[in-house]
Amino acid sequence: MNDTAPSPRLAAKLHRRVCFVMTEDAVLAQELLARKKLAGDVVGRLSDRVLLIRPGRVEAVLDELRKMGHTPQVVNRTES
Amino acid sequence: MPPPIADYTTWTERVRETLDRYAEPLSRAVSARLVQPKIGQTVEDLADKAAATQTNAPVIDRRIRELPEGPQTLLRLVGLSRQPIWNVGQLITLSAAAGHADGFAPLQSLLEAGLIFPTQTPGNAPITDFTAWFGGAGMLAASVFVHPAVAARSREIGTGEDRKKARAAPTPTAGGDGLDWPLRLAAVWQRTRQLPVKMTQAKLLFKRDLTRLQADDLLAAPLIDVPEKVADPGVLAFEWAAAAGMFRPIEMEYHADAVLGSWPAGLWALLTHLFAAFFQVETWDPLKGYAPSDTALSPTATAALILFDQMALTPGKGKTAADLAAPLWDRHPSFPSALSREAAKTQGAGWVEALLLTVAVPLRVVEVQAGEPRTFRLSDFGRYLFCGEPEPQPPAAFPQTLMVQPNAEVLVYRQGLTPPLIAELSRFAAWKQIGPACTLELNAEETYHGLESGLTLAGIKQTLDRHAMRPVPNNVADLLRRWADKRERITVYPTATLVEFTTPADLDLALSRGLVAIKLTDLIGLTADGREPEFKALRLIGNREYDAKPVKCLTIADDGLTIAVDPVQADLLLEAEIARLAEPLPVTGNGPRQFRLTPRTLRQATEQGQSLDELDRWFVSRTGNPLTPAGRLFVTGPTVSSPVTETCRIVRLSSVEIADGIVQWPETCGLILDRLGPTVVMIEEENLTRLREVLAEIGVQLKDSQPT
């Protein structure tokens, strides 16, 4: 008999093509939200460190972050 | 972007696609010039074979030799240029300047022979006739391409006989390191990475960007090989870099690629690549600098090619600029007219000298011999390009060629610079000075660009260590680390896939199994690179596109305030949106997540600028109905005039007919304050007696209700 039963598959829902910003800490996220131009492109806060970005506004958000003096790391960018 | 020259397969595919755009009779006729057609052979099969023949050297050699002298010369010049794509107007000019002033005819012969192909078709109609195609596309817009394998054969045949002497000529050696222009192109690539360059509809530089390029001191640094001032060096560097494929056009802007990926590794390969790209520079003139024209083609590319070809006839012998300009003045159709009045006085000798000194000599195609007047001849690299000589030996390698200084500047000696090192340094350090020794600056912005282009901090340090004559100072290493750490503070995921589990325990399990690497919330996880997780360990219960239209995923209870979430249909935006309108309720058992509209939450929403219309639209998109009456009460209640309490009498009638009669009869209707229902009316206290009397007159007795 085989003792190792296969692990049950976990029920999950996928959210594809999500655009968001993750900060090192909650204070930094709060700092970003205090920036009026950025706040306009933030549609919500998934957690205290994760800000959801309006679809199609990622380049504007990146520009604004750079204007603020940040050097955001961009993960898995696909060419549009 | 055209494929790389060495990628014969893609060029062959391009030939095959072009044959598909020909009308069948033309496709058959062109293919039949390359391969022997068989009876019953389909046009597709014939085109396949014709495309494949492009790399068949013996067949192509025979076809080229069968051509008349004019088309053969034109094809040879195209081959020598190493540039596979040419404007038709330029080729007609080139043909005339080479002594074959037959207009479109030489090019038409090459098109009909299947040795050159149109790059584009105006409209979607198939090409039935090359003259008609040229007429439709126009002199300034029509362009053609030649398969690099055919170009190589035309070069070989062209340098096979009449240039034997050239191969046997003495081989003088001189000239600079060939890096003057590669360094400027790297610098202009860096400038464009910082700020993209905008183009107008007519594909000209915007005034702001033109001024920026013209005023750039780094790009205007003196050439080290010759003491000649370049006209608009910044503009030439930009146009040349664009022609060399170092930028990506996005809408009306040029953006720099993340890396200088199109640069070949060896010096001669890079110089050959840039040499070929120069023939695509259309808006630069050796004397005038930036000189765009929307009515005529620039003579620079064609005149340069003719000049080099002439020099190849007597490669060992120096010629003056006046000697070289004479045939151009006599035969080149647009050369005399493009010269200024001043330049025309010397019949273009000044123009030729400027071109050779500022482009050909720094690119090591030509070498200049001192004297009065000075003379020019092909260099060893120029003879490799035009006389079929072997490629020159690569320059001696000096791997340790830079010094990182404590002020974060990098001093680079040119003897050890190579194309890969220029490309690598350009990714993470800013060019500050170009000269016999070059200077770069390490700074936060460039380090960031380097890391964004895929480099790692360890990779940057390794590059510096490998080429440094002394160890990188500790303070500079610390700076690099600090700049790199700063990048870790904010991470942007432009298009990630989030995995939402049904319980926090499932998410923890997924983390322990490595299905996801990052925990974003109690339920949502993410793989390390934001890509999709392994599906075999998951049972998908839903799949939502973040940028898709919102779907109905909420159900409202009868109280009009309690909202239940459909977990399968819900999306991430819902989480953000609903939190602004309602407060979460504790989850009970396996029941759905619920929220409740409260006066406070709805008041907050309106205070944050949400109008009733916007709320209605959101509720319609998420529930199928507008905001519930209870919800509307919370929203509009505080804004309308205050309700008033009154003491009135309610009269309950025995039937609807009686109530209708009372409301209609003029004697009684004036006494009624309001009708509250089918059988209920309301009257003021003081009218009760009068109503009782009037109804009594018609035999209806109004009774008082019994007190309970």
Side-chain angles (χ1 to χ4, degrees):
Chain A
M1 252 192 71
N2 188 358
D3 291 338
T4 54
S7 307
R9 295 203 300 166
L10 300 171
K13 187 167 75 169
L14 295 187
H15 299 274
R16 288 194 165 99
R17 300 158 65 93
V18 182
C19 174
F20 67 94
V21 172
M22 186 159 65
T23 59
E24 189 181 45
D25 52 46
V27 178
L28 183 53
Q30 205 59 46
E31 184 190 314
L32 301 187
L33 283 172
R35 181 89 167 189
K36 207 172 173 183
K37 268 192 170 175
L38 270 183
D41 286 329
V42 174
V43 283
R45 206 164 170 174
L46 212 53
S47 74
D48 58 358
R49 291 173 48 220
V50 179
L51 308 176
L52 285 172
I53 302 300
R54 201 177 293 285
R57 296 294 297 166
V58 69
E59 289 303 328
V61 167
L62 281 169
D63 284 349
E64 197 57 28
L65 287 171
R66 286 171 188 145
K67 275 185 198 160
M68 289 172 78
H70 294 295
T71 50
Q73 179 179 5
V74 185
V75 178
N76 189 16
R77 181 199 290 262
T78 53
E79 300 301 332
S80 54
Chain B
M1 272 293 294
I5 297 289
D7 184 3
Y8 279 11
T9 308
T10 308
W11 284 102
T12 302
E13 284 167 9
R14 193 172 265 209
V15 168
R16 181 66 189 81
E17 286 162 13
T18 306
L19 286 169
D20 269 347
R21 299 207 316 269
Y22 290 0
E24 185 174 334
L26 186 65
S27 179
R28 279 188 182 279
V30 170
S31 299
R33 294 284 299 272
L34 293 166
V35 292
Q36 184 69 42
K38 293 176 186 162
I39 295 168
Q41 193 170 20
T42 64
V43 66
E44 290 81 13
D45 190 30
L46 196 55
D48 285 344
K49 288 194 165 47
T53 305
Q54 299 285 311
T55 53
N56 186 332
V59 174
I60 292 299
D61 285 1
R62 277 201 301 277
R63 299 296 171 262
I64 291 174
R65 288 199 172 97
E66 286 165 11
L67 290 168
E69 192 190 345
Q72 212 175 118
T73 302
L74 183 58
L75 190 61
R76 181 178 60 80
L77 288 169
V78 170
L80 288 170
S81 75
R82 270 75 175 176
Q83 173 55 253
I85 298 174
W86 278 85
N87 179 287
V88 171
Q90 295 283 31
L91 289 186
I92 291 173
T93 304
L94 195 60
S95 188
H100 302 280
D102 303 322
F104 184 60
L107 185 56
Q108 186 166 5
S109 297
L110 292 172
L111 287 161
E112 288 169 354
L115 298 172
I116 266 184
F117 298 89
T119 56
Q120 81 283 29
T121 318
N124 294 321
I127 300 171
T128 53
D129 172 64
F130 291 120
T131 314
W133 162 77
F134 176 48
M139 176 77 109
L140 298 178
S143 60
V144 291
F145 73 92
V146 58
H147 193 297
V150 173
R153 294 316 307 156
S154 70
R155 262 197 314 272
E156 183 61 29
I157 291 170
T159 53
E161 294 300 327
D162 57 336
R163 303 191 182 208
K164 289 288 184 194
K165 286 180 196 165
R167 293 190 186 194
T171 52
T173 54
D177 57 9
L179 295 179
D180 262 329
W181 282 112
L183 284 166
R184 280 165 181 75
L185 264 59
V188 83
W189 169 81
Q190 218 166 49
R191 296 283 199 259
T192 309
R193 186 175 63 175
Q194 286 160 354
L195 190 62
V197 173
K198 274 191 172 182
M199 306 299 284
T200 65
Q201 291 287 345
K203 296 191 177 169
L204 303 179
L205 288 164
F206 254 78
K207 178 76 179 159
R208 185 198 64 175
D209 290 314
L210 176 61
T211 309
R212 178 160 69 106
L213 290 167
Q214 285 173 327
D216 195 312
D217 289 339
L218 176 68
L219 301 174
L223 302 169
I224 64 156
D225 295 339
V226 283
E228 186 76 6
K229 200 167 179 298
V230 185
D232 284 342
V235 176
L236 174 57
F238 172 77
E239 298 279 358
W240 202 343
M246 290 163 63
F247 306 133
R248 269 174 304 130
I250 299 176
E251 292 173 356
M252 299 306 288
E253 287 185 346
Y254 275 107
H255 293 249
D257 276 330
V259 292
L260 284 173
S262 58
W263 273 26
L267 175 66
W268 305 121
L270 174 64
L271 294 185
T272 305
H273 177 64
L274 297 184
F275 170 78
F278 181 75
F279 298 108
Q280 289 279 320
V281 173
E282 183 56 34
T283 57
W284 183 81
D285 180 276
L287 291 177
K288 298 174 191 162
Y290 186 56
S293 168
D294 53 1
T295 53
L297 292 164
S298 162
T300 304
T302 46
L305 189 51
I306 292 290
L307 278 177
F308 301 143
D309 193 48
Q310 278 178 45
M311 294 165 98
L313 293 172
T314 52
K317 188 182 167 196
K319 286 188 174 180
T320 65
D323 293 341
L324 292 165
L328 290 177
W329 180 264
D330 291 341
R331 289 204 302 255
H332 193 291
S334 57
F335 180 70
S337 59
L339 295 175
S340 65
R341 191 171 295 174
E342 191 62 29
K345 284 181 187 169
T346 60
Q347 298 195 337
W351 188 97
V352 167
E353 189 160 81
L355 175 78
L356 295 178
L357 287 175
T358 59
V359 175
V361 173
L363 204 63
R364 289 207 53 176
V365 178
V366 168
E367 57 190 15
V368 58
Q369 294 169 307
E372 191 54 49
R374 52 188 158 199
T375 56
F376 300 91
R377 63 183 180 184
L378 290 180
S379 67
D380 50 354
F381 176 56
R383 294 194 305 278
Y384 156 69
L385 292 173
F386 282 87
C387 303
E389 280 195 10
E391 188 176 272
Q393 289 295 313
F398 299 100
Q400 274 72 44
T401 193
L402 59 85
M403 264 197 305
V404 183
Q405 304 185 103
N407 64 354
E409 282 193 350
V410 183
L411 189 64
V412 189
Y413 297 103
R414 284 174 61 145
Q415 293 88 332
L417 266 181
T418 59
L421 184 56
I422 295 172
E424 191 75 354
L425 290 172
S426 303
R427 288 173 74 176
F428 64 82
W431 291 99
K432 300 289 283 182
Q433 193 182 328
I434 297 174
C438 302
T439 313
L440 296 103
E441 183 190 63
L442 296 168
N443 59 39
E445 190 182 355
E446 293 303 325
T447 306
Y448 169 61
H449 281 308
L451 295 171
E452 278 299 289
S453 74
L455 291 175
T456 59
L457 177 61
I460 291 174
K461 284 206 271 198
Q462 199 179 28
T463 300
L464 294 174
D465 285 335
R466 199 168 55 236
H467 295 284
M469 293 183 254
R470 287 189 222 140
V472 175
N474 287 337
N475 72 314
V476 176
D478 286 345
L479 274 174
L480 286 171
R481 189 166 47 248
R482 202 184 316 154
W483 292 329
D485 287 348
K486 193 178 167 197
R487 179 169 166 266
E488 306 295 322
R489 295 198 69 205
I490 297 178
T491 310
V492 176
Y493 291 82
T495 172
T497 297
L498 305 190
V499 191
E500 183 180 356
F501 295 90
T502 50
T503 66
D506 277 1
L507 173 56
D508 289 340
L509 198 56
L511 281 164
S512 68
R513 286 193 203 163
L515 293 174
V516 290
I518 302 165
K519 184 176 181 175
L520 292 182
T521 70
D522 285 347
L523 295 176
I524 297 175
L526 174 75
T527 59
D529 59 3
R531 293 179 196 271
E532 305 221 321
E534 276 187 43
F535 290 123
K536 63 183 177 189
L538 296 175
R539 180 167 55 84
L540 291 188
I541 57 170
N543 183 5
R544 297 284 295 125
E545 294 282 333
Y546 182 65
D547 48 5
K549 268 178 68 175
V551 295
K552 289 170 195 158
C553 54
L554 299 178
T555 315
I556 307 259
D558 290 342
D559 62 7
L561 300 175
T562 308
I563 303 172
V565 179
D566 177 348
V568 175
Q569 293 296 327
D571 54 65
L572 286 176
L573 287 178
L574 175 79
E575 298 290 327
E577 292 164 358
I578 201 168
R580 295 177 189 162
L581 307 174
E583 59 188 24
L585 294 175
V587 177
T588 51
N590 288 331
R593 284 191 311 133
Q594 292 188 320
F595 292 81
R596 175 163 295 151
L597 297 171
T598 69
R600 182 185 60 79
T601 56
L602 283 171
R603 187 170 60 246
Q604 275 177 0
T606 51
E607 282 170 0
Q608 284 167 6
Q610 292 234 36
S611 67
L612 186 60
D613 281 349
E614 285 169 335
L615 287 171
D616 275 341
R617 275 198 296 276
W618 185 82
F619 272 86
V620 167
S621 69
R622 294 300 194 176
T623 70
N625 293 303
L627 179 61
T628 60
R632 300 182 94 79
L633 170 66
F634 297 157
V635 174
T636 59
T639 62
V640 296
S641 55
S642 302
V644 179
T645 60
E646 297 172 4
T647 303
C648 296
R649 284 284 183 153
I650 297 295
V651 181
R652 191 177 302 281
L653 300 152
S654 55
S655 69
V656 176
E657 287 78 13
I658 299 293
D660 289 344
I662 285 177
V663 171
Q664 191 173 34
W665 186 28
E667 290 295 321
T668 52
C669 75
L671 303 172
I672 306 299
L673 194 60
D674 204 355
R675 184 169 181 171
L676 301 180
T679 59
V680 181
V681 296
M682 183 170 73
I683 63 169
E684 288 184 3
E685 180 73 33
E686 59 265 29
N687 290 336
L688 179 61
T689 308
R690 175 66 187 148
L691 180 66
R692 195 189 298 275
E693 289 169 2
V694 173
L695 289 179
E697 286 172 10
I698 60 168
V700 176
Q701 297 301 318
L702 193 60
K703 294 178 186 170
D704 289 328
S705 63
Q706 297 298 319
T708 55

